[in-house]
């Protein structure tokens, strides 16, 4: 997963696995930069909540299945 920060300050992000492998992980994305974060899946499925430590309460949940050929 790629996280992008278009803001003017670095942002600390928390990624929490919901019912899947990986637990919680944090990373800091510098202003104007991107960060790639690898997260495990369970049999190709993922369920992840991302929270930005900006004080705005921004959070996003991503769930699905990785398609493989």
């Amino acid at each position: 997963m790629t996280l992008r920060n278009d803001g003017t300050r670095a942002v600390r992000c928390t990624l929490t696995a919901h019912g899947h492998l990986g637990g919680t992980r944090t990373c800091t994305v510098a202003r104007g930069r991107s960060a790639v974060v690898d997260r495990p899946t369970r049999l190709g499925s993922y369920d992840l909540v991302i929270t930005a430590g900006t004080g705005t309460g921004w959070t996003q949940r991503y769930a699905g299945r990785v398609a493989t050929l």
Side-chain angles (χ1 to χ4, degrees), residues 15-61:
L15 296 89
T16 304
H18 235 357
H20 286 71
L21 303 172
T24 298
R25 180 173 174 185
T26 60
C27 71
T28 300
V29 184
R31 66 184 178 113
R33 303 292 299 227
S34 296
V36 176
V37 182
D38 290 325
R39 300 297 296 167
T41 63
R42 178 174 287 155
L43 300 174
S45 294
Y46 58 91
D47 189 353
L48 183 69
V49 176
I50 302 173
T51 304
T54 58
T56 62
W58 186 90
T59 187
Q60 185 70 46
R61 186 174 184 176

